[in-house]
Amino acid sequence: MIVGTRLSRLAAGRLLPGMASRCAHTERKVQVPDTGDLHIVESGSGSRSLLLMPGALGSAWTDFKPQIEQLPKLLPDHTIIAWDPPGYGKSVPPQRKFGLDFFREDAEAAVKLMRALNRPKFSVLGWSDGGITALILAGRHADAVEKLAIWGAGAYLNKDEVQSLQAIRDVAKWSPRMREPMEKVYGVERFAQLWGEWVDAACEFYKQRDGDFCRSEVEQVKAPVFILHGKKDPMIAPEHVPWLKQRLPNALYHEFPDGKHNIHLRYAEEFNKLVADFFRGKE
């Protein structure tokens, strides 16, 4: 999913948890069966539900601050729920476990979380790894997902992306500025360990499954889909968006001509309006 050593911009493009003021929200841990206590941030008070799914090693505040703050005004009939996936952010314990099923395990945990919140039907906003998890969720639990918006995600990993990942496995080679957001969350040693484990797990998909993250699940998606894309995204190979569009022929598509990987942060106002119109049914 990542092209070139510019992957570290994924960390640099995120927002530190303490930056600027936050809108009215609540933070709590939810006991999720067979998973553990998962940390969530909720904003808004609508009867409909929108789950925000972060990228690799991401959390609610590092990845979705503008959405947590702005989407409740644009979607007053929704409650916005941003989660820290198991083992990420403040959802520790459980200890993060990687392997060939970690995307599917996150998808199952998300479904269980929403059921625990008594919100069994919901829409999903998924970025990067969160987009992969969202596609799996929508494919395997079509009855639960109302709508789906994704960006910065691919259904598989190709050879060039594997080589790029291996080149930036050692975070000690990153600049301090690019490491800082994740080190603030995990600490220096734990971040380096987690990132290395994530890279190794992603490369195993290529070795053992021909890079397949969620090819079959994409074919099973029934919910309306909105694909957003930064045309200059250095994190995913250019082939991924056409691949998804071919298999999701009814999906809406919007391209940010100068956008890179973090279009929801760099172009937050425009991005939020686009996805809000989609989730309101004004697409």
Side-chain angles (χ1 to χ4, degrees):
M1 299 182 345
I2 297 108
V3 177
T5 58
R6 290 172 291 178
L7 170 68
S8 43
R9 291 183 186 174
L10 175 60
R14 284 170 161 145
L15 301 174
L16 297 180
M19 290 175 63
S21 61
R22 296 174 180 169
C23 67
H25 66 274
T26 59
E27 297 192 42
R28 60 188 172 113
K29 285 197 171 183
V30 180
Q31 189 172 25
V32 178
D34 304 317
T35 303
D37 294 339
L38 300 184
H39 177 261
I40 64 169
V41 179
E42 294 171 289
S43 58
S45 58
S47 60
R48 299 175 67 187
S49 308
L50 176 61
L51 177 63
L52 312 187
M53 308 190 78
L57 279 61
S59 63
W61 285 116
T62 58
D63 289 16
F64 288 120
K65 181 177 181 292
Q67 285 67 49
I68 293 169
E69 293 184 343
Q70 298 173 22
L71 285 180
K73 298 177 183 178
L74 298 171
L75 292 169
D77 58 339
H78 283 69
T79 294
I80 311 302
I81 301 158
W83 80 327
D84 296 359
Y88 286 172
K90 296 180 181 179
S91 290
V92 180
Q95 189 83 350
R96 184 67 183 184
K97 295 180 180 179
F98 291 104
L100 294 177
D101 292 319
F102 79 88
F103 286 118
R104 292 187 174 97
E105 289 169 355
D106 280 357
E108 294 303 316
V111 171
K112 292 176 182 177
L113 167 67
M114 298 305 285
R115 289 173 180 167
L117 294 172
N118 197 28
R119 293 178 176 272
K121 291 187 69 68
F122 54 95
S123 293
V124 185
L125 194 63
W127 177 38
S128 196
D129 269 25
I132 297 170
T133 304
L135 286 165
I136 293 171
L137 198 163
R140 293 193 164 207
H141 295 276
D143 57 333
V145 178
E146 295 178 333
K147 290 188 175 185
L148 171 66
I150 60 170
W151 68 107
Y156 58 90
L157 196 67
N158 69 25
K159 183 177 180 180
D160 290 340
E161 291 170 322
V162 169
Q163 293 174 345
S164 296
L165 279 175
Q166 292 170 336
I168 46 79
R169 185 185 185 281
D170 184 1
V171 299
K173 297 177 181 178
W174 298 14
S175 72
R177 180 181 66 87
M178 292 178 176
R179 295 193 305 263
E180 184 183 34
M182 291 294 103
E183 290 179 344
K184 289 282 188 180
V185 175
Y186 296 106
V188 174
E189 292 184 5
R190 182 58 179 154
F191 168 56
Q193 179 186 7
L194 265 180
W195 177 250
E197 291 174 357
W198 183 90
V199 170
D200 292 345
C203 291
E204 283 300 308
F205 277 93
Y206 184 76
K207 294 176 184 177
Q208 298 190 38
R209 292 186 178 174
D210 192 31
D212 184 13
F213 292 141
C214 61
R215 287 187 179 106
S216 62
E217 284 87 355
V218 170
E219 305 283 357
Q220 299 166 23
V221 172
K222 305 298 183 186
V225 178
F226 188 12
I227 301 171
L228 301 101
H229 179 57
K231 190 173 183 180
K232 297 180 180 179
D233 189 342
M235 312 290 183
I236 63 171
E239 67 195 60
H240 288 299
V241 170
W243 190 96
L244 287 171
K245 290 171 68 177
Q246 182 179 4
R247 287 155 182 82
L248 299 167
N250 296 321
L252 295 178
Y253 179 72
H254 183 86
E255 187 171 278
F256 291 77
D258 295 318
K260 296 183 180 179
H261 198 57
N262 62 342
I263 52 176
H264 65 303
L265 302 177
R266 177 65 178 83
Y267 305 99
E269 185 174 351
E270 180 182 0
F271 178 94
N272 287 344
K273 184 179 184 303
L274 286 166
V275 297
D277 284 349
F278 171 68
F279 289 122
R280 281 200 310 264
K282 295 185 178 182
E283 66 274 22

